[in-house]
Amino acid sequence: MKPTIMLTAGGTGGHLFPAQALAGELKRRGYGVELMTDSRADKYGSAFPADKVHLIRSDTIRSKSPLSLAKTAIKLGLGTLQAMKVIRTAKPAAIVGFGGYPTFPPMFAARVLGVPAILHEANAVMGRANKMLAKGARSVATTFPLKTLSADLAAKVVMTGNPLRDNVIAVCGQAYNAPEEGSAFHLLVFGGSQGATVFSQILPEALKLMAPEDRERLAIVQQARPADIEELEATYREMGVAAHVATFFTDLPERIAAAHLVVSRSGAGTVCELAAIGRPSILVPFPGAIDNDQGQNARWLAEASGALAIPQKELDPQRLARELKELMDNPGGLAKAAEAARTLGAPEAVQRLADLTEHLVGVVPANTQKETNS
């Protein structure tokens, strides 16, 4: 029996999904897998292929006030003690962290107890928590080329790509069928694990500016927050637009594969899935990120001509209506963008990260490619 590998990830899809992909691959290779995460992961827990899931206390730095920082430090300290107890019981051969402040207690506990660690950075900009945690990791696995790293961190970097779940891999080979003139145009709109109100506000107004014959072609699948669904559905009905609106899609990879165009945020998981599946997109980075990580993720795909990146401050109904019209009338351009996106896809990322993990525990030599950070 191979040893246990401990995974740790924050409780959002962006962190949990790549951890879930690695867990599945490690289980197929005969390892035990346990997960340390936070309470937000409950809605994903049943799908996570772990032998045990441990909910660990954590917190995020929200303010620089002394009182707020003290409260955060106490919660992180309690979480670290919890994580140390879990590690002593599970005796993992290694730990792999997937970023965010909820990974801080488990990764720090592993460092104190001498458990070798890999840190995975999904975004094109290393987050603040990961910069702190990377110092104690043996390797830093990355999705995108990372710039402006210190020499000691750059020496640890191995570019593996972002692990993709089995249901994403299953649709990666599906060819892109460009829309024919006058035929149904399948538009998929989503905004990350929480949805994005901006799309619920702007898209209906953009459609009102379009010609009736263009609206009639649209078949929309849209993720929206619960408070927005009723008004969205009523607006689409009034315009005669075929639309399916929901708060969450468990089959999102299949819906990406079925889309002619995707409009979305540009979290690392989303961008990597669009690339691996090979679908053209309009990416609107979340504007509130301190490090503009979503902006950098979107730029990576846009510079390869696989996506159109539009800052949220530049996206109004007129701009969106114009971009949609131009893309709907240019099936050849959509097909080229789909192929350009696919050239950046890394469906083998989960195997690379699993190989790196096995190398860490001394099972196989690493076969991943060292990243150059020139």
Side-chain angles (χ1 to χ4, degrees), residues 145-147 157 159 370-374:
L146 298 182
K147 307 298 181 183
V157 167
M159 185 181 287
K370 289 293 288 183
E371 177 184 345
T372 57
N373 290 283
S374 56

Side-chain angles (χ1 to χ4, degrees), residues 230-304:
E230 186 175 347
E231 183 176 353
L232 267 180
E233 290 179 331
T235 301
Y236 290 145
R237 276 197 304 271
E238 290 173 7
M239 288 191 289
V241 174
H244 173 42
V245 185
T247 58
F248 187 77
F249 295 105
T250 57
D251 59 346
L252 188 60
E254 290 87 347
R255 294 183 183 274
I256 292 175
H260 291 126
L261 177 67
V262 174
V263 177
S264 72
R265 291 298 197 196
S266 51
T270 295
V271 169
C272 291
E273 289 180 10
L274 288 169
I277 298 170
R279 295 297 180 266
S281 57
I282 295 175
L283 299 176
V284 186
F286 176 64
I290 294 176
D291 299 315
N292 190 32
D293 52 351
Q294 288 205 10
Q296 296 297 324
N297 298 344
R299 182 181 299 175
W300 174 76
L301 198 52
E303 286 181 348

Side-chain angles (χ1 to χ4, degrees), residues 12 59 62 68 73 108 116 176 182 186 198 235 269 313 322 329 365:
T12 63
D59 200 10
R62 298 180 178 86
S68 177
F108 186 72
Y176 178 74
H186 295 277
V198 64
T235 301
K313 64 183 180 181
R322 184 171 69 251
D329 289 345

Side-chain angles (χ1 to χ4, degrees), residues 22 73 105 147 361:
L22 179 62
K147 307 298 181 183
V361 301

Side-chain angles (χ1 to χ4, degrees), residues 80 84 87 95 104-117 131-137 156:
T80 299
M84 290 176 71
I87 290 172
I95 185 168
F104 191 93
M107 293 290 284
F108 186 72
R111 183 177 181 181
V112 170
L113 296 175
V115 178
K131 283 183 179 178
M132 291 185 286
L133 293 170
K135 296 177 182 179
K156 297 180 180 183

Side-chain angles (χ1 to χ4, degrees), residues 50-323:
D51 301 315
K52 292 182 181 179
V53 176
H54 310 275
L55 299 183
I56 303 297
R57 291 185 184 182
S58 184
D59 200 10
T60 299
I61 295 177
R62 298 180 178 86
S63 167
K64 292 184 179 180
S65 75
L67 179 60
S68 177
L69 290 173
K71 289 180 178 179
T72 298
I74 290 171
K75 289 182 180 179
L76 292 175
L78 292 172
T80 299
L81 293 176
Q82 265 188 293
M84 290 176 71
K85 183 177 180 180
V86 169
I87 290 172
R88 287 192 177 108
T89 301
K91 297 180 174 61
I95 185 168
V96 184
F98 287 86
Y101 279 96
T103 66
F104 191 93
M107 293 290 284
F108 186 72
R111 183 177 181 181
V112 170
L113 296 175
V115 178
I118 294 171
L119 182 67
H120 183 270
E121 175 55 67
N123 288 295
V125 179
M126 183 172 281
R128 291 169 294 168
N130 273 4
K131 283 183 179 178
M132 291 185 286
L133 293 170
K135 296 177 182 179
R138 299 277 185 89
S139 296
V140 177
T142 66
T143 298
F144 308 102
L146 298 182
K147 307 298 181 183
T148 66
L149 292 181
S150 62
D152 58 331
L153 285 188
K156 297 180 180 183
V157 167
V158 180
M159 185 181 287
T160 59
N162 200 35
L164 302 175
R165 294 166 293 156
D166 291 345
N167 60 346
V168 179
I169 300 296
V171 297
C172 282
Q174 293 188 16
Y176 178 74
N177 296 314
E180 298 179 1
E181 184 178 353
S183 66
F185 188 92
H186 295 277
L187 178 66
L188 173 64
V189 183
F190 61 94
S193 58
Q194 300 301 315
T197 295
V198 64
F199 297 142
S200 299
Q201 295 170 338
I202 293 179
L203 181 58
E205 296 304 312
L207 298 188
K208 292 176 183 178
L209 300 174
M210 298 176 70
E213 59 269 23
D214 292 323
R215 285 201 301 266
E216 290 171 3
R217 291 183 59 194
L218 288 168
I220 297 174
V221 172
Q222 184 170 354
Q223 179 199 25
R225 295 182 179 182
D228 298 329
I229 287 182
E230 186 175 347
E231 183 176 353
L232 267 180
E233 290 179 331
T235 301
Y236 290 145
R237 276 197 304 271
E238 290 173 7
M239 288 191 289
V241 174
H244 173 42
V245 185
T247 58
F248 187 77
F249 295 105
T250 57
D251 59 346
L252 188 60
E254 290 87 347
R255 294 183 183 274
I256 292 175
H260 291 126
L261 177 67
V262 174
V263 177
S264 72
R265 291 298 197 196
S266 51
T270 295
V271 169
C272 291
E273 289 180 10
L274 288 169
I277 298 170
R279 295 297 180 266
S281 57
I282 295 175
L283 299 176
V284 186
F286 176 64
I290 294 176
D291 299 315
N292 190 32
D293 52 351
Q294 288 205 10
Q296 296 297 324
N297 298 344
R299 182 181 299 175
W300 174 76
L301 198 52
E303 286 181 348
S305 301
L308 175 63
I310 304 176
Q312 184 170 311
K313 64 183 180 181
E314 298 178 13
L315 186 70
D316 55 23
Q318 292 77 13
R319 173 78 184 272
L320 184 56
R322 184 171 69 251
E323 300 292 356

